Amino acid sequence: MVTSLGAIATMSLGVILLGFAIWRWRENGLDAAIWLVSFLATIAIRAPHSLRNRRNVVVADRKGGIENILLGGMFATMMVFPLLQLATGIFDFANYVLPHGATWIGIVLQVPYLWLFWRSHADLGRNWSPGLEVRAEHGLVTSGIYARIRHPMYAAIWLSALAQPLLIQNWIAGTLVIAAFAAMLFIRVPNEEAMMRTEFGDAYDDYCARTGRLFPKSWT
Ligand code: SAH
């Protein structure tokens, strides 16, 4: 009950911030508007998977203090700080200005980001979860984009994290996400792979042998 009240309060606050951010789009500029559109697309891609996968039964997980801190860091730097800034301008003192070309790189990066984010959700299907979990009847996905890369969703989020400081030109709302996601990857990926190895044994080792983490093996 307490959790669901907390979730409702967080979501309401998010919707209010989003409303103000959209309302102020002219003041924030085209680059921030593109970030907002991409943010909305991200939510639209993820929402049906979140709703469906809530019904899954969890049989093992690797959640805990550090994982929660890392997820909190991502939530703050990818959602709360940018929305707060675009809705209120509260971090204006930390703004910087990049040449126009940088904005265009940020815009172009949204295309591979959204495609990879959508594709990895579609391929993982009911095996996706925001935290490190193994579900009842969890299947090892080795097809689609997962036939070549083990962490396409993280590769996608990297693209988004790299684009964010180009579109929201602010040290707090734009740049901090890079540090938060680097920490997340550095700690989470080995933990996730260890969990998958415990669950799937040799099948996971074979899978690792033919795939790369963020890039296809033939590229590295
Ligand atoms: N690291 C992956 C998935 C992120 S979602 C990516 O970047 O695309 C995290 C959850 O996905 C983990 O809790 C794990 O249970 C699940 N998962 C990761 N790789 C998987 C795979 N190949 N098959 C099935 N589930 C997987």
Side-chain angles (χ1 to χ4, degrees), residues 167-185:
L167 297 176
I168 301 176
Q169 297 182 6
N170 182 281
W171 289 108
I172 297 167
T175 309
L176 275 186
V177 67
I178 293 188
F181 193 56
M184 170 99 177
L185 269 191

Side-chain angles (χ1 to χ4, degrees), residues 22-119:
I22 293 171
W23 188 47
R24 278 173 37 104
W25 81 269
R26 269 177 225 278
E27 277 161 271
N28 291 323
L30 178 69
D31 34 8
I34 299 282
W35 181 87
L36 262 181
V37 171
S38 182
F39 178 76
L40 289 172
T42 300
I43 292 173
I45 291 169
R46 183 157 270 189
H49 297 280
S50 296
L51 289 174
R52 183 197 54 215
N53 290 2
R54 266 196 324 200
R55 289 194 291 272
N56 286 353
V57 177
V58 179
V59 294
D61 72 57
R62 296 221 173 184
K63 293 179 180 167
I66 291 183
E67 166 84 355
N68 289 343
I69 292 170
L70 294 171
L71 279 176
M74 287 303 292
F75 181 64
T77 57
M78 281 204 109
M79 294 189 185
V80 181
F81 295 167
L83 282 181
L84 254 180
Q85 168 62 10
L86 299 186
T88 66
I90 193 172
F91 301 127
D92 272 351
F93 63 90
N95 281 345
Y96 52 81
V97 179
L98 294 173
H100 261 322
T103 299
W104 282 106
I105 295 172
I107 293 173
V108 169
L109 282 176
Q110 299 309 309
V111 178
Y113 158 57
L114 286 174
W115 181 81
L116 209 49
F117 195 70
W118 162 76
R119 193 62 257 172

